[in-house]
């Protein structure tokens, strides 16, 4: 399965397809993938609370290529990164594919690639809630953008990732988002964090 078909299947079906790598990524596919990821972004932002960060085509396509490479190179050991300063736009655009990191890790947990996946998860916290990794990188960038921060809180609640609440501003938005429904949405939340009250 080539790069274009792999990513199209991923974003339409939400599934990582394990296949033999048939062809290298071509310049034409990279160009085509920019349009594919732009369309994906346009559809995805409807579910984001508030105003979404702008689309970053380089981050989106680079993340797509990274996921493709991880799936097809069993010994890939490099973590994912983007050139320059990480911005809210880069975080959200890369997340269009990096949100599949938990699934990727479950497929590669006994392979050398698992180390690279975990390193990527640690550096891209918005995409890795529930993965039980320490995430000191880029949290401040998430906090700087109200829409990203709310979406991050929603993901933390959905995955009940208590470790992500160690940042006071993240804890505050998680607590506010839970409101009076903490016992329903996150049983045990109040007991776990009672020292914050």
């Amino acid at each position: 399965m080539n790069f274009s078909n792999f990513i199209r299947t991923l974003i339409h079906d939400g599934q990582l397809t394990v296949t033999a790598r048939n062809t290298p990524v071509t310049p034409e596919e990279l160009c085509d993938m920019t349009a594919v990821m732009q369309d994906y972004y346009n559809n995805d932002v409807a579910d984001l609370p508030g105003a979404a960060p702008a689309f970053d085509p380089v981050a989106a396509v680079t993340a797509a290529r990274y996921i493709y490479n991880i799936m097809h190179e069993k010994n890939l050991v490099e973590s994912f990164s983007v050139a320059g300063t990480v911005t809210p736009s880069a975080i959200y655009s890369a997340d269009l594919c990096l949100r599949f990191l938990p699934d990727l890790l479950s497929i590669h947990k006994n392979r050398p690639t698992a180390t690279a996946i975990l390193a990527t998860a640690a550096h891209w916290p918005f995409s890795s809630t529930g993965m039980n990794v320490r995430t000191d990188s880029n949290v401040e960038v998430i906090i700087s953008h109200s829409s990203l921060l709310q979406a991050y809180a929603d993901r933390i609640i959905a995955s009940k990732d208590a470790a992500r609440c160690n940042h006071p501003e993240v804890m505050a938005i998680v607590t506010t988002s839970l409101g009076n429904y903490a016992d329903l949405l996150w049983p045990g939340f109040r007991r776990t964090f009672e020292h914050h009250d």
Side-chain angles (χ1 to χ4, degrees):
M1 179 179 288
N2 66 20
F3 177 52
S4 292
N5 290 335
F6 174 84
I7 296 300
R8 288 175 189 277
T9 299
L10 178 63
I11 63 180
H12 290 133
D13 299 340
Q15 294 182 338
L16 291 162
T17 306
V18 182
T19 63
R21 186 171 186 173
N22 298 323
T23 58
V25 177
T26 66
E28 291 76 18
E29 284 183 305
L30 288 175
C31 184
D32 175 60
M33 196 49 51
T34 299
V36 170
M37 297 308 295
Q38 175 76 67
D39 287 344
Y40 185 21
Y41 165 90
N42 291 342
N43 291 326
D44 197 72
V45 293
D47 295 325
L48 200 70
F55 180 62
D56 182 333
V58 174
V61 173
T62 305
R65 189 171 186 175
Y66 176 77
I67 296 295
Y68 177 72
N69 287 341
I70 282 276
M71 284 296 293
H72 294 87
E73 297 179 18
K74 295 181 180 179
N75 296 312
L76 186 66
V77 295
E78 296 179 359
S79 60
F80 172 75
S81 62
V82 294
T85 303
V86 174
T87 64
S89 293
I91 286 174
Y92 185 63
S93 299
D95 175 69
L96 296 171
C97 284
L98 293 186
R99 64 185 58 174
F100 295 98
L101 284 173
D103 296 330
L104 200 63
L105 182 62
S106 69
I107 294 170
H108 289 255
K109 60 185 177 182
N110 296 318
R111 298 177 184 172
T113 41
T115 300
I117 295 167
L118 288 169
T120 298
H123 195 65
W124 298 87
F126 187 74
S127 303
S128 62
T129 54
M131 288 186 70
N132 192 30
V133 292
R134 180 169 179 162
T135 54
D136 293 332
S137 299
N138 298 322
V139 174
E140 295 297 335
V141 181
I142 296 170
I143 290 170
S144 74
H145 194 284
S146 60
S147 182
L148 276 188
L149 178 57
Q150 183 61 63
Y152 186 51
D154 293 343
R155 291 182 179 194
I156 289 169
I157 292 168
S159 62
K160 298 177 179 57
D161 193 335
R164 304 299 178 100
C165 297
N166 61 0
H167 193 293
E169 291 183 67
V170 174
M171 178 64 177
I173 191 69
V174 167
T175 302
T176 299
S177 298
L178 286 170
N180 296 324
Y181 298 96
D183 293 337
L184 176 65
L185 298 174
W186 192 337
F189 176 83
R190 296 187 192 280
R191 290 192 303 275
T192 301
F193 298 104
E194 58 186 6
H195 60 285
H196 288 273
D197 296 336

